[in-house]
């Protein structure tokens, strides 16, 4: 015996406000950087600074642990020191219109180039209009035309003179020129031709053939002259256009002389303008349908526009992009279309950038779950990293039955550091099943959900509170309130030496405490307001818990909290309902009889128990064999059951409880019903730590409270769980006043002594136990059950022989 209950100072790690060197958070400087995540911070810094391929980062951790906020702030700090990346734009590809070309400019230069091109087009439009309307141009043009007309007239006159000399007239008809025989200045009719002699007819025909041959030569010369005239006019137009355009183009070429691709593009622009000066003519509209006007010819001036895809003129340092909707098109960019007369058209001016373009030269932050939820997004990211280029594609092209013409823009070189944020589970799944993942995301920054509760940790908590106060415009917290929040941080993680890094929960508590301070009319948030916030948060979620307590109070759910019973003990479980969990006591009973049926768990037989619970129950069999099966074979039948439990039982924390119920059932020694038990066991009978110890203790305390505290009630827990105790102040006060107790045990023997009030008994060298101990009584009862079973077996055998 001699096992003492846990003193009240060990059931809750109180944060002494006197150790905090400030009166309110107004005196505390806000936290900077990542809080309590040294491992993650080092990994993050390494990944962000590493320039080699494949060193992208996967940030793993639980939601609310500050991983996203911390990553953003860290990345932005590093990005400030990086150079601002270049601008990118798309321009028309004159040699392959379906493949727009990309041009690269220093930050801010792309937009400037766009404006320069707009001004160039407008200036050329005006210059060409003036040039083609000028007197000099008209004179040159008319001179070329008159020259042609004179030559044409001369050739026609010559052939007419020859025809006249041969007594023919040259007549122009819609189908061409014809020769008509003439006599004394009058046309020769068909009747007149019939009257002529054959020799005369033959002579006329011969002359006509000669004239036709000469006419063909004249017409050929006219066509050549016409062609030469057109070429001359085109040359005039070409020279005039070139003379007008080249000074403007040369100005831009001189301005952008350090960019070879731009110079090449400007040369192509000049060549296209010189070849197509008509593009700058004013377009006329015709009424296609009533009320619907269309241009006679679509303007081609769009070819000289510049589509600025990325403009970093206002970016300082490297860009940091956080894409919250990572669809394929939002990541890789898209090609938009416009409807025209029932058809869809596009051009390079309708190419739109994605997050990968905006983050190029910097950092892209993505939630991996959001990425995986969107078709093709993950593949787009991997292709970009592997190929080091961003390619804009129309996904619909892959699924159309009939392909339609679309653009294939030139890919843009990529230099992006991608940071994925997700759960550890998704990291393990991607690592196991995606062969590219381990090559492309070589750095893992693992955010822990806990941090040390030492002087540094408490100070960081205070700085975090100060930061939230300033960011969310809250009231300042006094040091007693800060101490209470520190204790709450330990309670969340169930560890007296640790603090929670799930700062979303801490932030919520700060806002709620600030609200209650406002309702109280206080200018400063005090500890009572923090406590009020905690209590109100519990109250909003504990409806089911209170309903269960009412059922226990009214003995609908039967739980004894006083007296002694054989083969019966109170076990403890934790029910989780979303963001709220609470402890619930359950009656565990054991029934023992003669036989060889062995140990049977009713819940396990009906498949209401999970695999971990079943393992714990099988270990229980090993404990019985270890302690009582070395001197004689165990032969008995026993059943164990969770009474009034109708959901699946999971976990091994009740294995020690089941052991105590079974020992009581075998020995007949009653157990104290005012004591509940939790703890798992190993095959040597040692008590192992369990989870949810605070909820379990508080759940049983609440039941004892509604049924009446006697001062003899309490909970047996594993000794290893002492550091996890962060009980409510109400329970601590009850322990301090002797109304409730906590016992911490190392093995099942210590537990049975508390439950029975008898010594458990240590085994002797021969494996037997001292008389007057629980283990001795159990051993004797098991021996007696084995002997009875053997006698009954012999009696049955003898009876069967007689019957034979």
């Amino acid at each position: 015996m001699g096992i003492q209950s846990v003193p009240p100072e060990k059931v809750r790690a109180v944060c002494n406000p006197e150790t905090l060197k400030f009166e309110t958070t107004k005196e505390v400087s806000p936290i900077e950087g990542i809080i309590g995540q040294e491992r993650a911070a080092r990994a993050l810094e390494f990944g962000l600074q590493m320039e080699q391929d494949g060193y992208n980062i996967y940030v793993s951790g639980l939601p609310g642990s500050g991983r996203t906020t911390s990553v953003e702030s860290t990345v932005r700090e590093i990005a400030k020191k990086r150079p601002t990346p270049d601008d990118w734009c798309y321009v028309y590809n004159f040699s392959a219109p379906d493949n727009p070309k990309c041009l690269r400019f220093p930050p801010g230069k792309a937009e400037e180039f766009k404006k320069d091109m707009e001004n160039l087009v407008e200036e050329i439009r005006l210059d060409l209009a003036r040039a083609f309307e000028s007197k000099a141009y008209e004179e040159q043009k008319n001179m070329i035309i008159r020259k042609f007309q004179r030559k044409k007239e001369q050739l026609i006159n010559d052939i007419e003179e020859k025809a006249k000399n041969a007594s023919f007239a040259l007549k122009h008809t819609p189908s061409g020129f014809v020769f008509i025989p003439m006599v004394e200045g009058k046309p020769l009719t068909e009747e007149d031709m019939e009257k002529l002699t054959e020799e005369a007819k033959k002579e006329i025909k011969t002359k006509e053939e000669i004239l036709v041959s000469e006419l063909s030569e004249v017409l050929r010369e006219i066509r050549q002259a016409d062609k030469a005239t057109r070429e001359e006019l085109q040359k005039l137009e070409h020279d005039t256009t070139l003379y007008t355009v080249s000074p403007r183009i040369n100005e831009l070429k001189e301005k952008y002389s350090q960019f070879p691709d731009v110079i090449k593009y400007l040369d192509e622009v000049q060549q296209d303008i010189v070849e197509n000066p008509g593009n700058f003519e004013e377009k006329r509209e015709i009424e296609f349908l009533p009320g619907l006007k269309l241009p006679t010819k679509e303007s081609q001036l769009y070819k000289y526009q510049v589509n600025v895809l990325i403009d970093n003129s206002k970016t300082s340092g490297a860009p940091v992009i956080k894409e919250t909707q990572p669809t394929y098109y939002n990541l890789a960019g898209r090609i938009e279309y416009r409807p025209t007369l029932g058809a869809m058209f596009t051009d390079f001016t309708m190419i739109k950038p994605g997050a990968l373009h905006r983050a190029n030269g910097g950092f892209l932050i993505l939630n991996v779950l959001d990425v995986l939820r969107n078709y093709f997004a993950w593949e787009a990211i991997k292709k970009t990293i592997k190929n080091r280029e961003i390619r804009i594609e129309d996904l619909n092209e892959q699924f159309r039955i009939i392909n339609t013409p679309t653009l294939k823009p030139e890919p843009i070189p990529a230099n992006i550091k991608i940071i994925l944020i997700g759960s550890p589970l998704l990291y393990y799944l991607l690592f196991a099943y995606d062969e590219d993942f381990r090559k492309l995301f070589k750095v893992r920054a693992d955010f822990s959900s806990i941090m040390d509760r030492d002087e540094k940790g408490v100070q960081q908590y205070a700085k975090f509170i100060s930061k939230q106060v300033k960011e969310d415009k809250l009231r300042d917290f006094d040091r007693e309130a800060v101490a209470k929040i520190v204790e709450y941080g330990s309670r969340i993680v169930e560890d007296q030496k640790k603090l929670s890094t799930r700062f979303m929960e801490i932030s919520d508590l700060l806002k709620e405490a600030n609200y209650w301070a406002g309702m109280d009319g206080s200018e400063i948030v005090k500890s009572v307001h923090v406590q009020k916030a905690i209590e109100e948060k519990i109250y909003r979620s504990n409806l089911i818990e209170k309903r269960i307590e009412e059922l226990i109070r009214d003995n609908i759910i039967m739980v004894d909290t006083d007296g002694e019973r054989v083969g019966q003990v109170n076990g403890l479980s934790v029910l989780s309902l979303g963001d709220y969990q609470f402890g619930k006591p359950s009656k565990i009973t054991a029934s023992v009889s003669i036989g060889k049926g062995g140990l049977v768990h009713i819940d396990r037989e009906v498949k209401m128990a999970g695999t971990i619970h079943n393992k714990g129950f099988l270990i229980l069999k090993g404990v019985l064999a270890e302690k009582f099966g070395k001197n004689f074979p165990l032969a008995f039948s026993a059943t164990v059951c969770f009474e009034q439990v109708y959901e699946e039982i999971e976990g091994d924390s009740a294995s020690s409880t089941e052991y105590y119920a079974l020992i009581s059932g075998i020995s007949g020694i009653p157990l104290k019903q005012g004591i509940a038990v939790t703890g798992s066991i190993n095959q040597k009978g040692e008590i192992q730590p369990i989870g949810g110890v605070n909820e379990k203790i508080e759940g049983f305390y609440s039941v004892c409270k509604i049924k009446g505290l006697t001062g003899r009630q309490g909970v047996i827990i594993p000794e290893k769980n002492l550091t996890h105790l962060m009980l409510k102040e109400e329970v601590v006060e009850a322990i301090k006043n002797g109304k409730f107790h906590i016992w911490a045990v190392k093995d099942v023997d210590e537990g049975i002594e508390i439950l029975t009030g008898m010594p458990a008994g240590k085994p002797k060298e021969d494996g037997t136990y001292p008389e007057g101990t629980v283990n001795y009584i159990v051993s004797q009862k098991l021996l007696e059950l084995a002997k009875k079973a053997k006698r009954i077996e012999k009696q049955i055998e003898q009876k069967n022989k007689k019957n034979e």
Side-chain angles (χ1 to χ4, degrees):
M1 305 233 303
I3 299 174
Q4 301 296 317
S5 61
V6 180
E9 59 270 14
K10 288 190 176 183
V11 299
R12 181 182 179 90
V14 177
C15 179
N16 185 359
E18 299 299 325
T19 61
L20 303 177
K21 300 175 183 178
F22 56 87
E23 291 299 325
T24 70
T25 51
K26 192 173 184 179
E27 305 168 20
V28 181
S29 58
I31 190 76
E32 293 181 0
I34 301 176
I35 310 171
Q37 303 285 356
E38 183 181 351
R39 178 179 285 101
R42 287 176 60 179
L44 198 58
E45 184 178 1
F46 169 76
L48 293 174
Q49 301 287 7
M50 188 68 173
E51 298 293 339
Q52 300 299 318
D53 291 347
Y55 283 86
N56 296 288
I57 306 167
Y58 187 103
V59 178
S60 65
L62 297 177
S65 60
R67 52 186 185 169
T68 303
T69 305
S70 300
V71 167
E72 262 192 89
S73 61
T74 303
V75 171
R76 292 191 187 281
E77 282 299 316
I78 292 178
K80 288 178 185 177
K81 304 171 185 175
R82 297 285 181 89
T84 303
D86 292 337
D87 293 348
W88 288 95
C89 62
Y90 274 110
V91 294
Y92 188 79
N93 189 340
F94 294 96
S95 58
D98 290 339
N99 305 115
K101 297 170 65 175
C102 60
L103 296 179
R104 185 174 194 163
F105 291 92
K109 275 287 186 180
E111 193 66 34
E112 184 179 343
F113 181 67
K114 177 182 179 180
K115 292 178 181 177
D116 287 341
M117 287 300 296
E118 290 173 352
N119 294 334
L120 174 70
V121 170
E122 182 61 22
E123 289 167 353
I124 288 177
R125 188 181 67 80
L126 296 174
D127 290 348
L128 287 178
R130 284 193 294 265
F132 290 135
E133 292 172 2
S134 68
K135 185 178 180 181
Y137 176 79
E138 286 296 328
E139 287 178 352
Q140 284 184 287
K141 180 179 178 182
N142 291 334
M143 185 177 68
I144 294 170
I145 294 172
R146 284 196 299 270
K147 178 183 175 182
F148 167 71
Q149 289 175 341
R150 284 196 300 269
K151 184 173 183 179
K152 181 180 178 182
E153 289 173 1
Q154 181 65 43
L155 290 171
I156 296 297
N157 290 337
D158 289 347
I159 195 66
E160 283 180 342
E161 186 65 27
K162 288 182 179 181
K164 185 178 180 182
N165 294 334
S167 299
F168 278 87
L170 180 65
K171 187 177 182 182
H172 189 276
T173 68
S175 59
F177 290 101
V178 293
F179 291 101
I180 300 174
M182 302 289 289
V183 175
E184 298 178 355
K186 293 182 181 181
L188 191 65
T189 64
E190 290 184 6
E191 292 179 356
D192 295 336
M193 285 288 291
E194 290 296 327
K195 294 177 182 179
L196 296 176
T197 63
E198 289 298 322
E199 186 177 346
K201 290 180 182 179
K202 187 175 180 181
E203 183 182 355
I204 290 172
K205 186 175 181 182
T206 302
K207 290 181 179 179
E208 184 179 9
E209 288 176 353
I210 294 170
L211 289 172
V212 168
S213 175
E214 291 180 353
L215 177 63
S216 296
E217 183 63 25
V218 167
L219 292 177
R220 185 184 66 79
E221 288 184 28
I222 291 174
R223 286 195 298 271
Q224 288 179 345
D226 181 60
K227 181 180 178 183
T229 301
R230 287 199 308 270
E231 290 175 352
E232 203 169 345
L233 287 172
Q234 287 176 355
K235 186 175 184 304
L236 174 63
E237 186 179 69
H238 177 279
D239 292 345
T240 303
T241 304
L242 180 61
Y243 178 78
T244 305
V245 169
S246 58
R248 301 288 188 183
I249 297 287
N250 289 337
E251 287 178 15
L252 286 185
K253 288 170 70 174
E254 185 177 350
K255 181 177 180 180
Y256 296 98
S257 59
Q258 56 185 326
F259 306 113
D261 289 340
V262 177
I263 299 299
K264 183 179 178 182
Y265 168 71
L266 290 173
D267 287 337
E268 292 174 351
V269 168
Q270 177 173 299
Q271 181 180 350
D272 188 75
I273 293 174
V274 168
E275 292 175 355
N276 303 283
N279 289 342
F280 290 84
E281 293 178 359
E282 186 176 352
K283 305 302 175 185
R284 298 179 181 176
E285 291 184 335
I286 60 171
E287 192 166 12
F288 183 71
L289 290 172
L292 177 61
K293 291 185 178 181
L294 294 176
T296 54
K297 184 179 180 182
E298 188 175 354
S299 174
Q300 297 295 306
L301 294 182
Y302 79 92
K303 295 191 293 185
Y304 313 124
Q305 294 179 11
V306 176
N307 179 9
V308 178
L309 199 72
I310 296 298
D311 176 20
N312 286 316
S313 59
K314 297 180 181 179
T315 304
S316 177
V320 179
I321 303 299
K322 180 184 176 185
E323 180 56 63
T324 56
Q325 187 63 24
T327 63
Y328 173 84
Y329 290 119
N330 284 354
L331 287 172
R334 59 167 57 80
I335 301 170
E336 295 183 345
Y337 292 80
R338 65 174 181 273
T340 304
L341 295 177
M344 303 300 289
F345 291 90
T346 188
D347 57 57
F348 73 97
T349 63
M350 303 176 74
I351 300 172
K352 304 299 179 183
L356 290 167
H357 297 95
R358 296 195 302 274
N360 201 9
F363 307 90
L364 177 59
I365 302 173
L366 300 166
N367 185 295
V368 67
L369 187 58
D370 292 338
V371 171
L372 297 175
R373 281 174 175 163
N374 287 286
Y375 296 116
F376 306 107
W378 178 238
E379 291 303 318
I381 291 171
K382 292 198 297 181
K383 286 179 180 178
T384 299
I385 298 174
K386 286 194 289 186
N387 301 332
R388 296 186 64 84
E389 65 179 23
I390 310 168
R391 186 178 293 274
I392 301 176
E393 296 178 305
D394 185 0
L395 284 178
N396 295 324
E397 190 178 0
Q398 303 178 28
F399 303 103
R400 292 191 186 108
I401 297 176
I402 300 175
N403 282 337
T404 57
T406 187
L407 300 179
K408 294 185 183 299
E410 181 183 358
I412 291 176
N415 179 25
I416 314 168
K417 182 73 71 173
I418 296 179
I419 302 104
L420 295 180
I421 300 176
S423 66
L425 175 61
L426 287 176
Y427 176 85
Y428 301 137
L429 290 174
L430 288 169
F431 194 90
Y433 296 107
D434 191 325
E435 61 182 16
D436 295 325
F437 179 74
R438 64 187 69 188
K439 302 174 186 175
L440 304 179
F441 290 87
K442 296 181 179 180
V443 180
R444 181 186 180 189
D446 200 0
F447 274 68
S448 173
S449 59
I450 59 174
M451 59 185 282
D452 291 335
R453 180 178 166 177
D454 50 18
E455 184 179 350
K456 180 182 177 182
V458 173
Q459 188 178 15
Q460 286 183 325
Y461 248 53
K463 287 176 175 287
F464 171 76
I465 296 170
S466 175
K467 177 185 177 184
Q468 293 300 113
V469 165
K470 289 177 173 58
E471 287 184 355
D472 297 329
K473 296 179 173 57
L474 308 177
R475 294 170 177 83
D476 282 300
F477 287 65
D478 65 16
R479 60 182 181 179
E480 287 77 14
V482 172
K484 185 71 69 176
I485 293 167
V486 169
E487 293 172 11
Y488 182 75
S490 287
R491 169 58 190 248
I492 294 175
V493 297
E494 293 193 332
D495 197 319
Q496 297 179 358
K497 300 176 182 178
K498 301 291 181 182
L499 291 170
S500 173
T501 57
R502 300 187 72 173
F503 291 106
M504 183 174 68
E505 293 186 44
I506 304 299
S507 180
D508 290 344
L509 179 63
L510 298 178
K511 295 170 187 174
E512 292 169 22
N514 177 73
Y515 168 81
W516 292 112
M519 295 296 290
D520 197 29
S522 175
E523 294 183 357
I524 294 178
V525 182
K526 301 177 181 178
S527 63
V528 292
H529 303 132
V530 176
Q531 186 61 36
K532 176 72 172 175
I534 296 171
E535 291 171 356
E536 287 293 324
K537 183 176 182 179
I538 293 172
Y539 180 75
R540 294 193 296 270
S541 303
N542 70 354
L543 177 63
I544 295 176
E545 178 186 15
K546 292 305 173 185
R547 180 58 182 150
I548 291 174
E549 288 178 3
E550 290 174 5
L551 294 173
I552 294 175
R553 180 195 64 195
D554 299 335
N555 280 324
I556 305 299
I557 297 177
M558 295 182 287
V559 175
D560 296 328
T561 59
D562 199 13
E564 296 182 344
R565 298 286 297 272
V566 174
Q568 178 178 308
V569 67
N570 289 320
L572 297 171
S573 60
V574 175
L575 298 183
S576 182
L577 302 174
D579 64 340
Y580 183 69
Q581 57 184 23
F582 61 91
K584 171 183 172 291
S586 300
K587 182 189 293 185
I588 298 177
T589 59
S591 177
V592 181
S593 62
I594 299 172
K596 291 186 176 181
L599 193 54
V600 175
H601 201 297
I602 292 175
D603 300 283
R604 182 186 177 206
E605 292 299 310
V606 297
K607 294 181 172 41
M608 285 181 62
T611 54
I612 298 175
H613 175 270
N614 292 338
K615 177 186 177 183
F617 183 70
L618 293 175
I619 289 174
L620 173 57
K621 291 183 177 182
V623 177
L624 288 173
E626 174 75 16
K627 296 183 75 66
F628 305 109
K630 293 184 177 180
N631 292 326
F632 58 89
L634 300 180
F636 68 96
S637 294
T639 56
V640 178
C641 180
F642 278 73
E643 305 291 353
Q644 291 185 288
V645 173
Y646 306 105
E647 64 274 359
E648 184 183 62
I649 302 165
E650 184 57 299
D652 61 353
S653 64
S655 56
S656 64
T657 316
E658 293 166 338
Y659 173 84
Y660 298 137
L662 188 60
I663 291 299
S664 174
I666 294 171
S667 65
I669 301 172
L671 302 179
K672 298 173 183 178
Q673 298 302 294
I675 301 176
V677 180
T678 184
S680 70
I681 56 175
N682 61 27
Q683 291 195 99
K684 300 299 180 181
E686 296 171 323
I687 303 295
Q688 301 170 143
I690 45 83
V693 64
N694 293 294
E695 289 81 2
K696 291 176 179 178
I697 293 171
E698 290 165 359
F700 189 65
Y701 169 80
S702 296
V703 170
C704 292
K705 181 182 175 182
I706 61 175
K707 300 193 82 169
L709 291 169
T710 64
R712 299 183 297 275
Q713 295 147 331
V715 178
I716 296 174
I717 66 169
E719 186 184 55
K720 302 293 186 183
N721 280 119
L722 278 175
T723 187
H724 304 138
L725 292 178
M726 282 298 296
L727 296 174
K728 293 178 181 177
E729 291 177 338
E730 181 187 353
V731 181
V732 176
E733 193 64 26
I735 294 171
K736 191 180 295 184
N737 295 330
K739 294 181 179 180
F740 198 74
H741 307 276
I742 306 294
W743 293 275
V745 299
K746 297 177 183 177
D747 54 41
V748 291
D749 286 344
E750 290 183 353
I752 202 68
E753 288 180 358
I754 296 169
L755 287 167
T756 63
M758 294 176 59
K762 300 293 181 183
K764 301 177 183 178
E765 291 184 3
D766 60 358
T768 61
Y769 293 94
E771 293 186 20
T773 62
V774 175
N775 288 335
Y776 174 80
I777 296 172
V778 172
S779 180
Q780 293 302 310
K781 291 286 186 180
L782 287 172
L783 180 60
E784 184 179 336
L785 288 170
K787 289 179 178 179
K788 285 182 179 180
K790 192 171 183 179
R791 283 201 302 270
I792 292 171
E793 187 179 356
K794 286 184 178 180
Q795 290 173 1
I796 293 172
E797 288 180 1
Q798 291 174 359
K799 187 176 180 181
N800 290 336
K801 285 181 180 180
K802 287 180 180 180
N803 292 335
E804 290 176 0

